[in-house]
Amino acid sequence: MTGAAGFIGSHMVDALGAAGHEVLAVDAPARSLAPDVAWRNWGGVRTAPGVTAVEADLAVDDLEPLAAADVVVHLAGRPSVRTSWGAGRAVAERDNVRATGRLLAACARRPAGRRPKVVIASSSSVYGSAGNRPNREDDPLHPASPYAASKVEVERLAVLAADDGVRTVLLRYFSVYGPRQRPDMAFHRFVEAALDGRPLPVFGDGRRSRSFTHVRDVVGATLAAAGADLPSGIAINVGHHEPVAVRAAIGMLTDVLGVRPEIRREEPVAGDARRTWADTGRAARLLGWTAGVGPAEGLADQIAWHRSLRVREGVRVG
Ligand SMILES: NC(=O)c1ccc[n+]([C@@H]2O[C@H](COP(=O)([O-])OP(=O)(O)OC[C@H]3O[C@@H](n4cnc5c(N)ncnc54)[C@H](O)[C@@H]3O)[C@@H](O)[C@H]2O)c1
């Protein structure tokens, strides 16, 4: 597992450990977009049963131990469209493209028959904005930010690695939320603002919509992809089939919290899709997977996490 100290990665570590797998958990928490949060997650990873935690920077360090696994779940990288502009472009290039290239090269150096299968986190942002139907995996790609472009390049490397005899699977995650969500992400910012009694900071007019996907569903799809026999180099959407407008999500969230939805509008983010919408036919066919957590249940779950952290730590996160 790479990116084990991350939002999605820390949940994956829990799930792999619970399923009885022997897990080598790798991360470089200092490279995180939110190092304080990553270090806190890392504390939990290091003490998880069945888990060996190793600090390593995938863009620099020796990756042979990772390549010796049966399956590598590669979630490490620099997320976020917003922070990928300007100086962030080089960071996305380093931690997404170079890191993935080095990992795949280490796997390709293994003897034939002993190369791991590599499950790689890609993103819905490779599509750009969805039109009037959900995006299918064979739709043309329209990356609109340096982050999205870095994920397109990651996908290209994964397809090339498949030609080199490394089995790869690309999971295109759609706006993931739930407990431990990254502090830069919308729902995290909304819940923290609402709990503080501040207006909710919304980029743009709130009409944007997303196939918001609960982290429990994302973990389920990722485990299924790790275990399934799939064509090498294939991309699979991992997203909820029903997009929800940001405004509608705010309504649900403030209902659960019992507060008035007061909003502070912020400049829209360049390169942010107006709509993401996952066609989940391929995931259903190949993984037997469909998202099961709807937004009302999922948001209540995330809110409960924010509240429990405040009780435990007496402070807000992020
Ligand atoms: N969260 C989402 O909604 C979402 C959507 C689409 C795709 N993704 C992708 O899923 C993956 C996980 O996302 P997340 O939200 O958990 O992000 P995250 O930032 O919480 O986790 C990423 C982890 O990777 C680690 N990392 C970064 N560079 C590294 C390096 N060079 N060497 C070792 N570790 C490094 C970070 O320390 C961090 O712990 C990322 O690849 C992201 O692009 C996430």
Side-chain angles (χ1 to χ4, degrees):
M1 265 283 330
T2 77
F7 159 42
I8 304 171
S10 60
H11 286 279
M12 271 305 292
V13 169
D14 292 346
L16 287 166
H21 295 289
E22 194 186 335
V23 183
L24 174 62
V26 175
D27 203 295
R31 297 282 327 150
S32 167
L33 189 56
D36 292 355
V37 175
W39 283 116
R40 187 182 58 218
N41 290 342
W42 193 234
V45 170
R46 285 172 50 183
T47 53
V51 174
T52 305
V54 173
E55 253 181 71
D57 179 342
L58 302 187
V60 176
D61 291 325
D62 174 21
L63 304 182
E64 302 306 323
L66 258 173
D70 300 321
V71 177
V72 179
V73 178
H74 174 45
L75 304 189
R78 175 56 65 108
S80 162
V81 165
R82 183 159 39 112
T83 63
S84 72
W85 297 99
R89 183 188 297 266
V91 182
E93 159 70 27
R94 178 193 190 280
D95 289 332
N96 296 343
V97 182
R98 197 192 315 166
T100 305
R102 291 188 79 247
L103 172 63
L104 292 170
C107 295
R109 282 195 296 274
R110 299 279 299 165
R114 288 171 51 201
R115 295 180 187 130
K117 170 177 171 180
V118 189
V119 179
I120 300 174
S122 184
S123 160
S124 60
S125 67
V126 296
Y127 293 119
S129 240
N132 54 10
R133 63 160 178 81
N135 275 123
R136 283 194 300 265
E137 289 85 347
D138 51 7
D139 283 344
L141 304 184
H142 295 293
S145 65
Y147 168 71
S150 77
K151 287 294 185 182
V152 170
E153 184 59 15
V154 163
E155 293 203 356
R156 199 182 66 84
L157 292 173
V159 171
L160 286 175
D163 292 343
D164 274 350
V166 180
R167 288 166 301 148
T168 55
V169 182
L170 293 154
L171 298 181
R172 291 181 181 155
Y173 294 153
F174 284 66
S175 304
V176 188
Y177 72 103
R180 300 185 208 149
Q181 193 192 39
R182 297 192 331 256
D184 60 296
M185 297 187 76
F187 291 166
H188 188 120
R189 292 153 40 91
F190 296 164
V191 178
E192 284 299 316
L195 289 173
D196 282 349
R198 290 180 281 119
L200 278 52
V202 177
F203 293 116
D205 58 11
R207 286 175 207 256
R208 281 161 204 261
S209 62
R210 293 278 176 276
S211 269
F212 290 110
T213 312
H214 192 273
V215 67
R216 198 187 315 146
D217 282 327
V218 170
V219 166
T222 309
L223 285 174
D229 192 12
L230 299 166
S232 191
I234 196 168
I236 303 177
N237 288 341
V238 175
H240 198 283
H241 40 282
E242 278 176 13
V244 174
V246 169
R247 283 210 289 214
I250 287 174
M252 292 182 210
L253 189 147
T254 48
D255 274 356
V256 175
L257 287 165
V259 297
R260 260 172 15 104
E262 259 190 88
I263 283 169
R264 192 185 77 229
R265 270 170 74 153
E266 299 189 348
E267 276 301 299
V269 173
D272 217 7
R274 284 208 66 74
R275 174 190 288 166
T276 67
W277 191 1
D279 181 299
T280 54
R282 185 176 282 183
R285 265 192 320 281
L286 297 183
L287 305 178
W289 177 89
T290 309
V293 182
E297 180 194 350
L299 280 169
D301 188 40
Q302 177 161 349
I303 289 166
W305 172 72
H306 285 265
R307 283 189 160 135
S308 73
L309 257 194
R310 284 181 176 227
V311 170
R312 236 184 9 248
E313 302 191 356
V315 286
R316 64 193 177 86
V317 273

